[in-house]
Amino acid sequence: MKVLKFGGTSVGSAASIQTLLTILKDEVKNETAKPVVVLSAMGGVTNLLASMAEDAANGKEFTAQLAELEKRHFDVVKTLLDVQNQNPAFTRLKIHFNQLEELLQGVLTLRELTPKTRDQVLSFGERCSTIMVSKIAAQHFKEVLYVDAADVIKTDSAFGNAKVNTELTELLIKTLQQENKDKILFVTGFIAGNDAGQTTTLGRGGSDYTAAIFGAALNAKEVQIWTDVNGMMTADPRMVKKAFSLTELTYTEAMELSYFGAKVIYPPTMIPAFLKKIPIVIKNTFEPEFEGTVIRHDCKASTLPIKGISSINNISILNLEGSGMVGKSGFSGRLFSLLAREQINIILITQSSSEHSITFAVSPQDTERAKQVIEQEFELELLAKKLEHLTIEKNLAILAVVGENMKQTPGMSGKLFHALGRNGVNVRAIAQGSSEYNISVIISAQDLSKALNAVHDAFFVQLTKTLHAFCLGTGNIGKTLFAQLNAHSDYLKEHNGIQVKVAGISNTRKMTFNSDGISLDTWQEDIEASPYTADLKEFIAKMKDMNLPNCVFIDNTASPKPIEFYEDVFKANISVITCNKIGNSGSYKQYRTFKDTARRHGVDFFYETNVGAGLPIINTLKNLMNSGDRVQRIEAILSGTISFIFNNFKGDANFHDVVKEAQEKGYTEPDPRDDLSGKDFMRKMLILARDAGYAMEEADVEIQSVLPQASLEAKSVEDFYATLKTEDAHFAKLKDQAEKDGKVLRYIGKLEDGKVTITLQMVDENHPFYMLSGSDNIISFTTDRYKERPLVVKGPGAGAEVTAAGVFADLINLGAN
């Protein structure tokens, strides 16, 4: 036979009770033995009863709440019971509500609520729901028996959390079942009774415990816990949307997870089933076809390194330290015996190997009482300065990773702390048992959601990793990046295991945010409809306040303003991807600060598009150096504009017309001198030199100007073009000389022997830059390994498509980290 327990949501409405009856009909049809059905109070009723009792004790009126409670039950009876069957149910329920009213009236009169009276008040939730459901079930099943668990589950008189007399209870349950084999027993969960016939309760998760007690007493085939979720999950689905249901767990794993906050099932529930090796099945009342989670002693081997990540949302830690503890035998026993006598539950303990300090976690409501009793107990040691005054930290949380496979898998702790550290989650205390079933850490409560998601992503590698991107700039590059992300999102998930959620966008006018991801189909409409006016400082602050895991700040602008915030972003443990070269080409001190701050905080600083747009230049240089190669010389053409001009300045062409054509095709800035001055080229070479290990400043780069001084000093663009005509002979002479010698003109940057020069050169067909065409960029690395034949990277070095693709590639690299 089986024991089926239904939780508060499963009996919370007429519709859910109908679903419960459907499940029960299938069970009765498929099994020969009649099941035992254990029921909780209707959803929210226990809290309502507790509130009514507290109100009565404080002299407040409770009649409106009592009327609401009565109406809830009566409405279900009217909906689900035939008219001729309603009066018996109303009568039984009315008797209980009258008793409850008398009891509360007594509490109101005395202004006193004892634990014994509180248990009696709370018991009416289960009694009323079980009477109601059993009367409704009698319309569908031949033999139904209502059972008040207080008659068969016998406990001591520790009201609120009574201890079960197992031997007597099992005898009474077996006798009850033997006398009623042909009946479906509907049993009140949560409540029990002492030898004096007084009502007691079984504490947190008491209805589950009732089911396990009945299951153990009757050697049930299994105990089913019907709730409103699909079994036990890898993490709290309210905080981790990627959490998934577990097929099976061992008793140990389930107890560890449930102890640390997984509220689907509670640790005491499993003890009777654990002792008898009875499987516990967690099922969803509202999705009964789902397999759910089976908790059993003989689980199959799992490929998962951990089974789940559990958490306790709000705890406090107390730290006791001092020389009086060192080598003092019995000190810990004295401390924890004191707390046990005061019924202060200790959630977690950690002690330094020097025995100089003990840190332990308690519930917030126990914090001040724990402090008070400890200071009283150790008053003499405190006065003698052998102990420091107790320190308390509040607003903390516990995160625990659980799984039996952890003890066989190296690197579990490293993976946990890497995920936390990379996301800026500070660990306040650590506890791990020698069994290695559980590693627990104490962190700030405000970081819990971020930590759970980051750790879940780290351990469950079969799931997609989520990056939360905050993007500045919606110009050509920004727009193109969003289009590329949108078009390739499925490919990213399937082949790279990465999902990019754009959580924030800002341009110069508006900004918008969404922690679940801004739609890349409607982002332009979303930003226009946003109430937020663009404010870079506020954008950064909001990004930090959202506190999402695996964040990246993407700068798709050419403005100096975002650069001011890079260091602050790194310090918030957020990575930066930028195509804005102003930051890395500023002062060397600034460049070094960005690199060092990113490294110290364990985040990435990617800027591939600073040099050569989408070409893999920065990454190639990095890989050469990381592999131990030594760069002897770098030569490069890193201006698409200048490349186009000199590739087309041949034959009968004159320099003026070629520059004009480049501008008309959109290759140059509105003022072509911004390109032809070599300033942008200089920045790129400076970044390359710094990445190659040279501490260089802008002034250290020698630039030979392509343009005569008169052209550079022209007052307007029109005047500039006029000077080009005047200087036509100068440019024609250069072109003719090159053609005469069988060479071509190339504006080349070179890094060699720690010096950077940018000069106009004539190169022959043996030079790798000779065959350059269009607006391509090219770079040549001569190294110890690539000495005879340099390593050459060539391709488009400008344009929104290739620049956005470079940012995209940086995002993929970030996801891999």
Side-chain angles (χ1 to χ4, degrees):
M1 53 82 67
K2 296 178 184 177
V3 176
L4 282 67
K5 178 263 175 178
F6 290 92
T9 52
S10 301
V11 294
S13 67
S16 60
I17 292 170
Q18 284 179 315
T19 305
L20 179 159
L21 293 172
T22 302
I23 293 167
L24 204 51
K25 285 173 187 176
D26 290 340
E27 184 64 35
V28 171
K29 182 172 62 179
N30 296 327
E31 300 287 343
T32 53
K34 294 290 190 291
V36 173
V37 180
V38 177
L39 300 174
S40 294
M42 294 180 79
V45 165
T46 302
N47 288 338
L48 183 60
L49 288 167
S51 174
M52 290 162 65
E54 293 293 339
D55 284 349
N58 292 320
K60 296 178 183 177
E61 190 54 58
F62 57 82
T63 51
Q65 293 167 300
L66 184 62
E68 177 194 335
L69 189 65
E70 185 175 311
K71 184 178 183 300
R72 268 190 79 181
H73 289 78
F74 281 15
D75 284 349
V76 171
V77 170
K78 290 173 186 175
T79 303
L80 297 182
L81 268 177
D82 296 338
V83 175
Q84 64 270 25
N85 297 325
Q86 289 179 6
N87 276 338
F90 286 147
T91 301
R92 289 288 300 275
L93 288 170
K94 192 63 182 174
I95 289 169
H96 277 308
F97 289 127
N98 288 342
Q99 291 172 343
L100 175 60
E101 185 176 17
E102 290 174 7
L103 191 60
L104 290 170
Q105 195 61 52
V107 172
L108 180 66
T109 302
L110 295 172
R111 299 289 198 277
E112 182 182 50
L113 180 63
T114 64
K116 180 168 74 173
T117 304
R118 192 174 189 276
D119 274 4
Q120 184 70 22
V121 170
L122 296 183
S123 73
F124 283 99
E126 273 68 20
R127 285 182 167 132
C128 289
S129 71
T130 308
I131 285 170
M132 178 180 70
V133 175
S134 65
K135 291 291 185 185
I136 295 166
Q139 287 189 150
H140 303 272
F141 304 99
K142 288 182 181 178
E143 297 290 342
V144 168
L145 180 67
Y146 164 78
V147 178
D148 189 331
D151 297 332
V152 289
I153 297 179
K154 294 300 176 183
T155 68
D156 61 12
S157 297
F159 298 100
N161 195 12
K163 184 180 179 182
V164 176
N165 180 337
T166 304
E167 189 175 342
L168 176 58
T169 295
E170 289 200 352
L171 177 63
L172 291 171
I173 290 173
K174 285 175 183 175
T175 302
L176 172 71
Q177 201 264 343
Q178 286 293 324
E179 292 173 354
N180 299 280
K181 279 187 175 180
D182 59 339
K183 296 177 181 176
I184 302 174
L185 306 182
F186 283 79
V187 182
T188 57
F190 181 56
I191 63 176
N194 62 13
D195 292 339
Q198 297 165 324
T199 299
T200 59
T201 59
L202 301 175
R204 181 183 174 206
S207 293
D208 292 350
Y209 194 15
T210 304
I213 291 167
F214 266 79
L218 300 174
N219 287 310
K221 179 181 175 182
E222 66 184 31
V223 175
Q224 296 180 358
I225 308 292
W226 289 84
T227 180
D228 56 358
V229 294
N230 285 335
M232 293 190 77
M233 305 188 81
T234 50
D236 186 340
R238 293 169 300 179
M239 287 192 275
V240 182
K241 292 183 180 175
K242 293 184 196 172
F244 58 92
S245 299
L246 294 160
T247 306
E248 61 178 12
L249 293 166
T250 65
Y251 290 116
T252 305
E253 289 169 334
M255 290 183 79
E256 291 279 1
L257 282 170
S258 59
Y259 180 77
F260 283 97
K263 295 183 174 64
V264 175
I265 196 167
Y266 298 89
T269 303
M270 286 173 279
I271 295 170
F274 179 86
L275 296 173
K276 295 284 184 78
K277 295 184 177 179
I278 298 169
I280 299 172
V281 186
I282 315 295
K283 301 274 283 181
N284 188 344
T285 304
F286 307 101
E287 202 175 324
E289 67 280 358
F290 192 82
E291 291 288 334
T293 303
V294 181
I295 302 168
R296 52 161 61 104
H297 74 285
D298 55 347
C299 281
K300 296 188 290 290
S302 171
T303 57
L304 296 173
I306 66 169
K307 284 291 180 69
I309 307 161
S310 198
S311 55
I312 299 177
N313 296 0
N314 191 12
I315 58 114
S316 299
I317 58 172
L318 291 83
N319 188 59
L320 192 61
E321 59 180 84
S323 59
M325 297 166 59
V326 180
K328 187 83 171 178
S329 59
F331 184 89
S332 298
R334 184 179 164 197
L335 171 64
F336 295 122
S337 295
L338 164 70
L339 296 172
R341 285 198 306 272
E342 296 294 324
Q343 295 190 324
I344 295 171
N345 182 45
I346 298 169
I347 300 168
L348 177 148
I349 304 167
T350 181
Q351 181 173 15
S352 65
S353 58
S354 66
E355 300 182 37
H356 187 261
S357 67
I358 296 177
T359 300
F360 56 95
V362 299
S363 296
Q365 60 265 30
D366 291 333
T367 305
E368 292 304 322
R369 191 156 56 90
K371 180 177 184 290
Q372 183 181 4
V373 298
I374 289 170
E375 289 180 344
Q376 288 174 353
E377 175 71 20
F378 296 99
E379 185 178 6
L380 294 177
E381 287 88 344
L382 288 165
L383 289 171
K385 305 292 184 184
K386 290 184 177 180
L387 287 179
E388 301 295 327
H389 281 283
L390 197 69
T391 58
I392 297 172
E393 290 186 66
K394 299 181 179 179
N395 301 316
L396 300 174
I398 294 178
L399 181 151
V401 292
V402 172
E404 290 193 357
N405 273 2
M406 285 166 58
K407 62 184 176 184
Q408 301 161 3
T409 311
M412 290 292 98
S413 298
K415 187 174 286 191
L416 169 65
F417 294 119
H418 176 75
L420 295 173
R422 187 172 173 84
N423 282 279
V425 178
N426 187 35
V427 175
R428 317 303 285 270
I430 307 163
Q432 179 178 12
S434 58
S435 66
E436 296 187 51
Y437 289 146
N438 178 320
I439 304 174
S440 302
V441 295
I442 295 178
I443 60 176
S444 170
Q446 69 178 16
D447 287 334
L448 181 59
S449 177
K450 177 167 75 169
L452 281 170
N453 280 278
V455 173
H456 197 272
D457 264 10
F459 278 99
F460 295 106
V461 294
Q462 72 275 31
L463 298 178
T464 303
K465 303 289 183 293
T466 300
L467 299 180
H468 292 96
F470 291 82
C471 302
L472 278 188
T474 60
N476 287 337
I477 296 171
K479 284 179 184 175
T480 308
L481 176 64
F482 295 152
Q484 290 177 357
L485 285 172
N486 204 18
H488 297 285
S489 60
D490 292 340
Y491 183 91
L492 265 184
K493 288 179 187 177
E494 184 178 349
H495 295 276
N496 297 86
I498 297 169
Q499 178 185 21
V500 180
K501 288 186 176 180
V502 178
I505 301 174
S506 179
N507 55 29
T508 55
R509 295 174 293 103
K510 293 281 193 79
M511 56 187 186
T512 187
F513 305 91
N514 188 337
S515 57
D516 292 325
I518 298 163
S519 169
L520 294 181
D521 290 317
T522 61
W523 68 267
Q524 288 171 296
E525 293 88 338
D526 291 343
I527 200 168
E528 287 304 320
S530 173
Y532 299 109
T533 302
D535 183 313
L536 189 50
K537 186 176 181 181
E538 285 299 313
F539 185 81
I540 302 293
K542 179 69 174 177
M543 176 177 67
K544 292 195 286 186
D545 288 344
M546 288 170 75
N547 208 23
L548 297 170
N550 304 325
C551 277
V552 53
F553 175 72
I554 302 176
D555 180 6
N556 285 326
T557 74
S559 166
K561 293 180 180 177
I563 311 300
E564 300 170 17
F565 295 92
Y566 281 11
E567 187 178 356
D568 193 32
V569 171
F570 290 133
K571 287 179 178 178
N573 290 87
I574 296 171
S575 296
V576 172
I577 293 174
T578 181
C579 60
N580 186 344
K581 64 181 74 70
I582 295 174
N584 282 328
S585 61
S587 70
Y588 180 77
K589 180 182 178 183
Q590 177 177 273
Y591 165 86
R592 198 68 256 165
T593 296
F594 292 163
K595 302 279 275 191
D596 292 343
T597 308
R599 189 180 66 253
R600 277 200 310 274
H601 290 269
V603 292
D604 290 315
F605 181 32
F606 289 154
Y607 47 90
E608 184 64 76
T609 50
N610 278 194
V611 180
L615 294 179
I617 293 173
I618 296 290
N619 204 41
T620 300
L621 175 58
K622 178 182 175 184
N623 289 339
L624 287 170
M625 297 187 67
N626 286 346
S627 66
D629 203 354
R630 188 178 66 87
V631 175
Q632 296 180 3
R633 181 171 64 256
I634 296 175
E635 290 182 286
I637 295 175
L638 297 174
S639 168
T641 304
I642 296 175
S643 180
F644 176 86
I645 289 170
F646 284 108
N647 285 337
N648 288 275
F649 183 43
K650 56 190 177 183
D652 296 332
N654 66 67
F655 197 72
H656 170 279
D657 292 346
V658 173
V659 174
K660 193 74 173 174
E661 182 186 358
Q663 185 178 26
E664 288 168 356
K665 287 181 177 291
Y667 289 135
T668 74
E669 296 294 331
D671 187 337
R673 286 173 294 180
D674 292 342
D675 300 291
L676 289 166
S677 67
K679 180 84 171 178
D680 186 65
F681 196 168
M682 179 277 297
R683 286 174 174 161
K684 294 175 181 178
M685 289 301 298
L686 183 60
I687 293 167
L688 278 176
R690 288 171 172 177
D691 277 8
Y694 297 101
M696 299 185 71
E697 299 290 354
E698 181 180 324
D700 298 326
V701 180
E702 296 179 21
I703 305 177
Q704 175 191 350
S705 177
V706 173
L707 299 172
Q709 196 66 27
S711 299
L712 290 171
E713 294 175 355
K715 294 181 179 179
S716 66
V717 175
E718 290 77 13
D719 290 345
F720 160 70
Y721 277 114
T723 64
L724 289 187
K725 286 185 177 180
T726 305
E727 298 288 344
D728 186 59
H730 165 74
F731 292 110
K733 182 181 178 182
L734 291 171
K735 181 187 68 173
D736 293 343
Q737 182 64 49
E739 289 177 351
K740 178 182 175 184
D741 296 341
K743 297 179 180 181
V744 291
L745 291 169
R746 296 288 183 256
Y747 195 49
I748 298 173
K750 183 168 73 170
L751 166 65
E752 190 171 22
D753 298 329
K755 294 182 179 179
V756 176
T757 58
I758 301 173
T759 58
L760 184 63
Q761 300 179 29
M762 297 180 190
V763 300
D764 62 22
E765 60 187 6
N766 295 316
H767 197 285
F769 296 176
Y770 181 81
M771 295 301 292
L772 195 66
S773 61
S775 60
D776 281 357
N777 281 194
I778 189 167
I779 186 164
S780 165
F781 296 98
T782 303
T783 71
D784 288 352
R785 292 181 193 150
Y786 296 92
K787 193 171 185 178
E788 301 303 323
R789 293 173 62 84
L791 173 63
V792 175
V793 180
K794 174 187 172 185
E801 282 289 340
V802 292
T803 305
V807 175
F808 199 140
D810 279 346
L811 268 171
I812 293 172
N813 288 332
L814 186 72
N817 290 347

